[in-house]
Amino acid sequence: MKPDVPVVMNQFFGKMLLELGPALEGTYASGSSSVMGLMMFMAGEEYERGAQVRVEDIAELRDIFGEASGLVSDAPLKQKLGEAAQGSETSLRILELDSAHGQLAKTLIELQDFLESTPEDWAAALEERIYAHLLRSAEARRMPYPDMG
């Protein structure tokens, strides 16, 4: 048997919220079970989409860095951007994807710092692209709220 994690977690959520929580004495215990159930629901959702969200985010960052490496005049940053753009992930494990994303986020901060201090015409357009990426990334990572019917 292969458990379908989102389905299992959603069923646990329903049991916690609708059966176990109301049967517990005291508002603290009942509230805690509701929060735990909601976290189960969210964990199931994250299981289902987590790798995809991270892979897409990383790919878009690498694309931004590829574009930026052709524009940036600062030699060390240019090299760092080029290397980041050429990188690739060898695992779809969430922990490893998060680690790769963390390194890319540091490079993004360096790029943004450079862009904010450069008078070049192309800098504003690249900043807009970065802001659009950050907005898409935040939207993709936003946790859904369960449909209670």
Side-chain angles (χ1 to χ4, degrees), residues 64-133:
I64 289 169
F65 296 155
E67 177 184 345
S69 68
L71 300 169
V72 168
S73 58
D74 178 87
L77 180 57
K78 183 182 204 68
Q79 180 178 352
K80 190 172 198 173
L81 291 167
E83 289 170 2
Q86 295 303 313
S88 64
E89 283 55 60
T90 58
S91 171
L92 293 178
R93 290 179 169 268
I94 297 296
L95 207 56
E96 292 180 34
L97 291 171
D98 283 345
S99 177
H101 188 272
Q103 291 302 312
L104 295 173
K106 291 176 185 175
T107 303
L108 182 64
I109 291 168
E110 288 181 52
L111 175 58
Q112 287 178 294
D113 187 46
F114 176 84
L115 293 174
E116 289 174 4
S117 64
T118 188
E120 301 293 335
D121 293 337
W122 53 264
L126 192 53
E127 280 185 298
E128 285 298 319
R129 182 173 179 203
I130 290 169
Y131 296 141
H133 161 75

Side-chain angles (χ1 to χ4, degrees), residues 11-27:
Q11 288 175 350
F12 286 172
F13 163 64
K15 289 281 186 192
M16 292 288 285
L17 186 69
L18 301 174
E19 293 178 26
L20 297 176
L24 293 172
E25 291 185 28
T27 56

Side-chain angles (χ1 to χ4, degrees), residues 26-86:
T27 56
Y28 179 79
S30 179
S32 291
S33 71
S34 294
V35 170
M36 288 169 34
L38 184 58
M39 294 306 295
M40 287 177 184
F41 170 81
M42 290 180 174
E45 291 293 313
E46 186 62 14
Y47 173 86
E48 181 65 25
R49 70 184 191 160
Q52 184 70 32
V53 167
R54 286 162 176 83
V55 166
E56 289 174 358
D57 199 32
I58 288 170
E60 188 171 6
L61 282 171
R62 291 194 189 287
D63 191 53
I64 289 169
F65 296 155
E67 177 184 345
S69 68
L71 300 169
V72 168
S73 58
D74 178 87
L77 180 57
K78 183 182 204 68
Q79 180 178 352
K80 190 172 198 173
L81 291 167
E83 289 170 2
Q86 295 303 313

